[in-house]
Amino acid sequence: MNVVTTSKSDLYRLLPSLDEVLQALAEVTRAEGHVAVADAARNVLARLRTEISSGHLDSKSVEVAVQGIVQAVERELRQALQPSLRSVINATGVILHTNLGRAPLGEATLQRIQEIAAGYSNLEFDIEGGERGKRDSHTDKLFAKLFAQQLGASAGGLSTVVVNNNAAAVLLVLNTLGEGGEAVVSRGELVEIGGSFRIPDVMAKAGAALREVGTTNRTRIADYERAITEKTRVLLRVHRSNFAMVGFTEQPALTELVALGRKHKIPVVEDLGSGALFDLRSIGVSGEPGVADSLRAGVDIVTYSGDKLLGGPQAGILSGRKELIARLRQNPLFRALRVDKLTYAALEATLLAYIRNDSSAIPALRMMHLSADAIRERAAAVQKTLSSASSLKIEIIAGESVIGGGAAPQATLPTWLLVLDAQKLSADALAERLRAAQPLPIIGRVEEGRVLLDLRTVFPEQDAVIVKALLQIDSAK
């Protein structure tokens, strides 16, 4: 039926009522529930009213919209019920990309999580003794095995606990050891980590007063010693994990700080941040301390992340002298900051891969060890498959990947990049199309007016997904 009118009130009357829309969606309502379908229908009708009010629709346009209103509500419903947290393809070349979830987990880890999540477990139950156990015992014994491999007999005096992230680990150790006293730290180490969180702020919440020593670029061991008073509770070293300081700089060796702590019977705590459990020199990165290096040097407690260089789940890990770790366990904050069974399951599987010396089972480590030649071979295969694309120009150039996650900020890994140019799309528009790709958004880099894709951080089975998305963009022109 054709209705010709110019009155907005007449146009509003062309719209169906909410009840009429819901009657047409009765089957969908039974499947998805009345509330969700009604909300979607209200949103669609509200948009149409807004369009009419703005003068963007005439009677013919409204009739067309009304004819397709069922489909519009179904689309609205699908979008409303779609989870916000989605899997994406990381083609940025940043391995531990904080915004993209940092370290991906391996197959064995995922299987372990599924096994523990699907039923009950002995999270805090001693099966042999038939009584309550400690949840942190599951990973403590694995860390003990790993450190025994890396440190030998000296690992016998160490213990490890886990909290929900490294900031929580720093908070716990400073509150336990430093509350009511002072923590001495170099001015050059008062870093700001992601999300505008600053080390001084964490220290203040821990109840430990900050005692700054040295200057931004130069701090000597004598500066620490002069700052020690009867109020000193902790000597704190913070690894500059997310920036590098070069030029006229000075920092005392970790062994010097440990010796000073021993002299005055003050614990030395090191916030390593990323915290590698493997030798970074194996991927060509030098000058970055690992957890074993710090413990070997005599640091009393080392804090580090689980989802960075370790390659596991998000967690804050504290490894150090047994008597000090025991004090951390007794702090009420430890319960507030504890992790759940899924984190322990994921961490167990990750640590077992380390103990078995199976770095290939940890995706982040596998990506770090991936050779530039292997990446170039995959890039060439993608380029060849897309040779038929008429509106896309694809080149391969040498480039650099980075570890990310605040780890080794100056270190880069050689790689080969896919360079994409679209005839009728700007680089930003092409990047937007890739982010809108289905079933997986593709996240790349835009540099100098070009879209760059680094396959180092793309799982091999996802290469075909990228090809399909680019062919769809090409066909859409």
Side-chain angles (χ1 to χ4, degrees):
M1 180 178 65
N2 292 324
V3 178
V4 179
T5 181
T6 57
S7 167
K8 289 182 180 178
S9 60
D10 288 340
L11 294 178
Y12 288 136
R13 280 193 286 270
L14 293 176
L15 298 179
S17 69
L18 177 62
D19 285 342
E20 289 173 328
V21 176
L22 291 178
Q23 286 175 11
L25 289 161
E27 188 174 339
V28 177
T29 301
R30 283 192 291 273
E32 304 293 349
H34 174 81
V35 173
V37 177
D39 283 346
R42 286 190 190 97
N43 290 339
V44 170
L45 290 170
R47 279 201 299 272
L48 288 173
R49 293 189 187 99
T50 300
E51 290 288 300
I52 292 171
S53 176
S54 302
H56 295 154
L57 297 179
D58 58 16
S59 59
K60 192 171 186 65
S61 300
V62 172
E63 286 185 349
V64 171
V66 170
Q67 289 171 6
I69 201 165
V70 169
Q71 292 78 13
V73 173
E74 289 175 340
R75 286 195 300 271
E76 178 78 13
L77 184 64
R78 285 195 298 271
Q79 186 173 356
L81 298 180
Q82 180 176 319
S84 174
L85 186 61
R86 300 176 60 191
S87 295
V88 303
I89 293 177
N90 175 14
T92 66
V94 181
I95 298 170
L96 301 172
H97 200 305
T98 298
N99 302 134
L100 301 184
R102 291 185 183 160
L105 300 178
E107 283 299 320
T109 301
L110 296 176
Q111 290 172 10
R112 185 75 179 127
I113 291 173
Q114 184 177 19
E115 178 186 348
I116 295 301
Y120 297 101
S121 66
N122 64 328
L123 177 64
E124 289 186 0
F125 185 75
D126 181 349
I127 295 176
E128 185 176 341
E131 57 188 11
R132 181 169 183 161
K134 294 181 179 179
R135 66 173 58 200
D136 55 291
S137 65
H138 304 289
T139 50
D140 188 18
K141 63 183 181 183
L142 293 177
F143 276 108
K145 287 183 180 179
L146 181 60
F147 290 141
Q149 291 178 358
Q150 298 181 348
L151 301 171
S154 62
L158 301 175
S159 189
T160 299
V161 291
V162 180
V163 290
N164 53 34
N165 62 21
N166 190 53
V170 175
L171 176 69
L172 178 63
V173 70
L174 289 178
N175 179 260
T176 304
L177 304 183
E179 186 177 25
E182 293 181 346
V184 180
V185 62
S186 168
R187 284 186 175 88
E189 298 170 5
L190 295 176
V191 301
E192 179 178 305
I193 56 179
S196 300
F197 291 101
R198 297 177 173 181
I199 287 295
D201 297 336
V202 175
M203 293 175 68
K205 287 296 183 182
L210 170 65
R211 183 68 181 272
E212 301 177 35
V213 297
T215 63
T216 301
N217 62 320
R218 304 197 85 185
T219 303
R220 302 177 179 87
I221 196 65
D223 295 321
Y224 287 93
E225 185 145 31
R226 281 195 298 269
I228 292 175
T229 68
E230 68 279 358
K231 295 181 180 180
T232 305
R233 300 290 182 269
V234 174
L235 300 180
L236 177 64
R237 167 71 67 90
V238 182
H239 182 52
R240 303 186 191 109
S241 57
N242 56 3
F243 74 101
M245 189 179 292
V246 297
F248 191 58
T249 64
E250 185 176 349
Q251 181 184 44
L254 195 55
T255 51
E256 290 183 274
L257 197 59
V258 168
L260 181 64
R262 297 286 186 271
K263 176 181 175 182
H264 294 274
K265 297 182 179 179
I266 299 171
V268 175
V269 173
E270 184 176 24
D271 171 17
L272 265 185
S274 293
L277 289 180
F278 69 100
D279 191 346
L280 283 166
R281 290 173 296 183
S282 65
I283 58 171
V285 177
S286 59
E288 284 289 320
V291 177
D293 297 323
S294 296
L295 293 173
R296 192 179 292 111
V299 174
D300 295 292
I301 294 180
V302 181
T303 71
Y304 48 105
S305 297
D307 57 347
K308 292 185 180 180
L309 286 173
L310 193 145
Q314 177 180 300
I317 304 166
L318 302 101
S319 298
R321 286 167 44 199
K322 281 186 175 179
E323 61 271 24
L324 294 180
I325 297 297
R327 288 176 59 184
L328 301 183
R329 284 193 179 98
Q330 295 166 1
N331 189 328
L333 271 180
F334 180 52
R335 180 176 179 83
L337 302 173
R338 70 183 185 177
V339 297
D340 72 339
K341 60 184 179 182
L342 303 186
T343 301
Y344 279 116
L347 199 50
E348 269 191 312
T350 305
L351 292 172
L352 283 169
Y354 275 99
I355 291 169
R356 294 168 179 149
N357 198 27
D358 184 12
S359 61
S360 64
I362 303 173
L365 271 62
R366 189 167 66 239
M367 291 174 182
M368 292 177 204
H369 285 95
L370 196 60
S371 72
D373 288 342
I375 297 169
R376 186 175 191 177
E377 185 177 333
R378 286 171 56 194
V382 170
Q383 183 187 43
K384 182 178 180 180
T385 308
L386 291 167
S387 59
S388 61
S390 59
S391 66
L392 289 175
K393 180 183 177 183
I394 302 167
E395 298 178 78
I396 299 174
I397 64 170
E400 294 177 336
S401 310
V402 296
I403 294 174
Q410 289 186 302
T412 58
L413 305 173
T415 191
W416 291 89
L417 305 170
L418 285 166
V419 184
L420 309 179
D421 283 305
Q423 288 179 359
K424 296 184 180 181
L425 294 174
S426 67
D428 288 337
L430 178 56
E432 184 178 354
R433 292 277 187 94
L434 287 169
R435 293 196 303 273
Q438 294 292 340
L440 294 173
I442 300 165
I443 316 299
R445 289 153 40 194
V446 176
E447 294 180 6
E448 300 179 355
R450 301 179 301 178
V451 174
L452 307 179
L453 303 182
D454 186 346
L455 298 183
R456 179 184 294 278
T457 48
V458 176
F459 292 97
E461 62 270 20
Q462 294 175 338
D463 291 358
V465 181
I466 292 177
V467 168
K468 183 177 180 181
L470 289 172
L471 288 174
Q472 289 175 342
I473 291 172
D474 177 65
S475 63
K477 295 184 174 57

